[in-house]
Amino acid sequence: MVTRGRKAKQLVGLDIGSSSIKAVELKATKAGYELVSFGMEALAQDTVVDGAIMDAPQVANAITKIFDTEHIKTKNVATSVPDIR
């Protein structure tokens, strides 16, 4: 993982699903990656439908809550949203 010409030391993986949002904070080590923190927030029904975010404020609030609760300060984020076809 490279950021602006240098290796990033930490990364957050953010999964926005239809029923919950999950975040993992990973730290690069010589042996690979180490799990620093994990957080999950349930979403109300129909917040994310068929991969489309229907209630953006609720998704943003859930992400903020995870980052606050887990004290995540990492700025490098890789995200995923379901693709249902």
Side-chain angles (χ1 to χ4, degrees), residues 21-78:
I21 296 177
K22 295 166 281 299
V24 293
E25 185 176 20
L26 303 173
K27 178 180 178 181
T29 68
K30 290 182 180 183
Y33 288 96
E34 175 183 307
L35 179 64
V36 175
S37 62
F38 170 80
M40 184 170 80
E41 278 296 314
L43 294 174
Q45 189 173 357
D46 297 331
T47 301
V48 178
V49 178
D50 293 336
I53 296 173
M54 307 305 278
D55 188 348
Q58 183 179 359
V59 170
N61 288 339
I63 293 169
T64 299
K65 186 173 180 181
I66 292 170
F67 274 58
D68 288 347
T69 302
E70 298 303 321
H71 308 289
I72 297 173
K73 302 291 184 208
T74 302
K75 303 291 185 202
N76 298 312
V77 178

